[in-house]
Amino acid sequence: MSESPQNEPNVVSTIADKICSKLQNAIVEGIIPAGSKISEPALASEYGISRGPLREALSRLEACNLIERKPNVGARVVTLTREHLVEIYLIRESLEGLAARLAAENMSDKDVNELDALLEKHKHQIIQDQSYYQKEGDMDFHFRIVKGSNNSYLIDMFSNDLYHLIRLYRYQFGMVSKRVPRAFVEHEQIVDAIRQHDGELAQFLMSRHISNSRKNVEKMLDEHLAITD
Amino acid sequence: MSESPQNEPNVVSTIADKICSKLQNAIVEGIIPAGSKISEPALASEYGISRGPLREALSRLEACNLIERKPNVGARVVTLTREHLVEIYLIRESLEGLAARLAAENMSDKDVNELDALLEKHKHQIIQDQSYYQKEGDMDFHFRIVKGSNNSYLIDMFSNDLYHLIRLYRYQFGMVSKRVPRAFVEHEQIVDAIRQHDGELAQFLMSRHISNSRKNVEKMLDEHLAITD
DNA sequence: TATGAATATATTGTCGACAATTTGCTCATT
DNA sequence: AATGAGCAAATTGTCGACAATATATTCATA
């Protein structure tokens, strides 16, 4: 049910919580279009709730950079730009590089084995359904390593802010790349480095992995824009 | 008036905005003690407002990791731990390293000159008032470089989340170090690298600068704890 | 016709009251 | 005296209504 990366059953009790999750998905999937204005009365009646919990949800959406709010004016869904996407990738290079280093230093053998099992699962999924791996599978891998860092702020940033932004751009720019086999090999290299507790190497490989991914995306965007124009 | 790092006059119009700023300062300065429970009715009447905008403010405080909320239970100010402080420093090493690199690539000569002027100002302040440089002066320098990165998410994270957390720990652990002269030299080195548009070097120097700072803080905490026990 | 002021409409911000849930207390039972 | 069930008090979550602000429209004037 829940699209959020945390494993816990996620018993979202309050209305604000539920509506926040729904809105996150609605924005990611473009049901509420990028750049569009958000009307509080309209949304409230649409979801059958009052404006109180809705505004609480909007606060959180603002915090995770999915909407922008101006006092006394209202909220808009963010507009997607190539520049912002690059900005996000640069931050991921830096932050997930750190995460990989810490994961290499901290993860137990048991954790590493589970990570390996995940890769094994992905190997089969790639054959039968590349698109799944490209979306959720890749996300699972990266989030697993962030969790392995054991740094609460890192985990927090990833699961609250970055996670939704990454999904948003994946969904709406909807790019399917030829990089899947290459990316999978890079994942294997990263896990190897983590298993050997080689933090420096894990950091280097993770940064480069995301950097490669960024360059690939930039190239695709350029080509796509060239066609569109 | 405003303690926030952005330069704009910061015309906070809405009550929720003002109360959020006030609460941020109150928490940073320990007026609302770390680890204490927050009573919505009590706070609301204390500040002479209703619970609506207060809850909106609490949402933001939660987003910047100053308080923790549990549904149907309430909010508590975060508790300060050595581990969390180290986590924050690690993230700063990574993120501000990136910021320095981007700043070296992007900043105009005019921006670099202003940064230099800031250092010159600090040089005099150190002589007459070390404590100022150690708190706000250091913050000014680091924020200036983050802004120089021109990465909106980086700027956002720093000014919304990290900024307040850094101030919180500085205030409450209130450590005054002997590192001021050394830190100043490191600042100069970083600016030099930025002036030469040597991104790699700027990143390395900034990461090491924060890493040194972290080690110094860890050492001081250990000594302090040793005395306390 | 174009521009701008004045008004009208709609939207956001704030408030106080009620509902739902949790916490603390009382009291009976072992 | 200690434990636990049941009840009372307090706190959080939600709602609908009102106030303040911004946007849209109307109308007069150049």
Side-chain angles (χ1 to χ4, degrees):
Chain A
M1 171 83 200
S2 165
E3 301 282 344
S4 127
Q6 42 259 45
N7 282 353
E8 303 135 34
N10 207 352
V11 245
V12 265
S13 50
T14 158
I15 292 185
D17 282 327
K18 293 178 201 160
I19 219 67
C20 181
S21 293
K22 286 185 186 175
L23 290 178
Q24 281 172 334
N25 285 326
I27 291 174
V28 165
E29 293 166 18
I31 297 169
I32 304 175
S36 66
K37 174 140 186 356
I38 288 179
S39 162
E40 292 184 7
L43 259 192
S45 76
E46 185 178 336
Y47 285 91
I49 58 169
S50 132
R51 277 179 56 220
L54 175 64
R55 283 172 63 85
E56 175 114 16
L58 291 181
S59 279
R60 297 190 210 170
L61 294 183
E62 185 185 22
C64 62
N65 291 297
L66 288 181
I67 68 171
E68 286 170 350
R69 280 173 118 183
K70 285 182 184 174
N72 291 314
V73 172
R76 305 194 81 89
V77 179
V78 292
T79 56
L80 308 182
T81 68
R82 188 203 141 109
E83 285 70 31
H84 276 191
L85 180 56
V86 171
E87 287 183 1
I88 293 168
Y89 266 101
L90 287 174
I91 286 173
R92 287 188 65 193
E93 280 175 44
S94 171
L95 242 32
E96 294 194 40
L98 170 64
R101 192 187 99 207
L102 297 176
E105 294 168 0
N106 294 331
M107 278 180 87
S108 67
D109 290 350
K110 180 169 159 289
D111 290 336
V112 177
N113 287 337
E114 286 179 20
L115 194 55
D116 229 353
L118 188 70
L119 277 194
E120 194 63 28
K121 200 177 101 187
H122 286 169
K123 186 187 283 185
H124 300 128
Q125 280 174 346
I126 290 175
I127 300 168
Q128 56 189 38
D129 181 9
Q130 276 215 358
S131 73
Y132 173 82
Y133 171 71
Q134 204 167 237
K135 287 176 185 167
E136 308 305 329
D138 181 66
M139 214 63 141
D140 282 351
F141 176 78
H142 284 271
F143 186 60
R144 190 71 73 100
I145 289 180
V146 169
K147 272 198 295 188
S149 77
N150 226 352
N151 183 310
S152 60
Y153 291 103
L154 217 39
I155 297 171
D156 205 72
M157 285 181 182
F158 197 84
S159 49
N160 290 136
D161 303 5
L162 290 173
Y163 176 72
H164 301 288
L165 282 174
I166 297 168
R167 285 190 67 213
L168 176 64
Y169 276 93
R170 281 234 175 111
Y171 234 97
Q172 306 227 357
F173 283 178
M175 38 225 168
V176 260
S177 78
K178 309 285 186 277
R179 255 195 104 244
V180 168
R182 180 66 210 154
F184 181 77
V185 171
E186 291 173 1
H187 284 189
E188 283 184 319
Q189 291 177 327
I190 292 167
V191 173
D192 282 343
I194 290 176
R195 183 185 293 105
Q196 294 161 23
H197 301 292
D198 188 339
E200 244 179 323
L201 181 60
Q203 174 163 21
F204 170 78
L205 290 173
M206 178 61 91
S207 283
R208 195 174 64 173
H209 169 60
I210 297 174
S211 176
N212 288 339
S213 189
R214 185 194 84 226
K215 285 166 189 164
N216 181 58
V217 164
E218 288 186 278
K219 208 181 78 182
M220 292 186 70
L221 275 180
D222 288 341
E223 289 169 3
H224 189 276
L225 289 176
I227 295 169
T228 310
D229 284 345
Chain B
M1 172 84 200
S2 164
E3 300 282 344
S4 127
Q6 44 260 43
N7 281 353
E8 304 135 33
N10 207 352
V11 246
V12 265
S13 50
T14 157
I15 292 184
D17 281 327
K18 294 178 202 161
I19 219 68
C20 182
S21 292
K22 285 185 186 175
L23 290 178
Q24 282 171 333
N25 285 327
I27 291 174
V28 165
E29 294 166 18
I31 298 169
I32 304 176
S36 66
K37 176 145 185 352
I38 288 179
S39 162
E40 293 184 7
L43 259 192
S45 76
E46 186 178 335
Y47 285 91
I49 59 169
S50 131
R51 276 179 55 220
L54 175 64
R55 283 173 63 85
E56 175 114 16
L58 291 181
S59 279
R60 296 189 211 170
L61 295 183
E62 184 185 23
C64 62
N65 291 297
L66 288 180
I67 68 171
E68 285 170 351
R69 281 173 116 183
K70 285 182 184 174
N72 290 314
V73 172
R76 303 195 81 89
V77 179
V78 292
T79 56
L80 308 183
T81 68
R82 188 204 142 111
E83 286 70 31
H84 276 191
L85 180 56
V86 171
E87 286 184 359
I88 293 168
Y89 266 101
L90 287 173
I91 287 173
R92 288 188 65 192
E93 280 175 44
S94 171
L95 242 32
E96 293 195 40
L98 170 63
R101 193 187 99 207
L102 296 177
E105 294 168 0
N106 294 331
M107 277 179 88
S108 66
D109 291 350
K110 179 169 159 291
D111 289 336
V112 177
N113 287 336
E114 287 179 18
L115 194 55
D116 229 354
L118 189 70
L119 277 194
E120 194 63 28
K121 200 177 100 188
H122 287 170
K123 186 186 285 185
H124 300 129
Q125 280 174 347
I126 290 176
I127 299 168
Q128 56 188 38
D129 181 8
Q130 276 216 357
S131 73
Y132 173 83
Y133 170 71
Q134 203 167 236
K135 288 175 183 166
E136 308 304 331
D138 180 67
M139 213 63 142
D140 282 351
F141 175 78
H142 283 271
F143 187 59
R144 190 71 72 100
I145 289 180
V146 168
K147 272 198 295 189
S149 77
N150 227 353
N151 184 310
S152 61
Y153 291 102
L154 217 39
I155 297 170
D156 205 72
M157 285 181 183
F158 196 84
S159 48
N160 289 336
D161 303 5
L162 290 173
Y163 176 71
H164 301 287
L165 283 175
I166 297 168
R167 284 190 67 212
L168 176 63
Y169 276 93
R170 281 233 176 110
Y171 234 97
Q172 307 227 356
F173 284 179
M175 37 224 168
V176 261
S177 78
K178 309 285 185 277
R179 254 196 104 246
V180 169
R182 179 69 210 153
F184 181 77
V185 171
E186 290 173 1
H187 284 190
E188 282 184 320
Q189 290 176 326
I190 292 168
V191 174
D192 282 343
I194 291 176
R195 184 184 293 107
Q196 294 162 22
H197 301 291
D198 188 338
E200 245 179 323
L201 180 60
Q203 174 162 21
F204 170 79
L205 290 173
M206 178 61 90
S207 283
R208 195 175 63 173
H209 169 60
I210 297 175
S211 176
N212 288 339
S213 188
R214 185 194 84 227
K215 285 166 189 162
N216 181 58
V217 163
E218 289 186 277
K219 207 182 78 183
M220 291 187 70
L221 275 180
D222 288 341
E223 289 169 4
H224 189 276
L225 288 177
I227 295 169
T228 310
D229 284 346

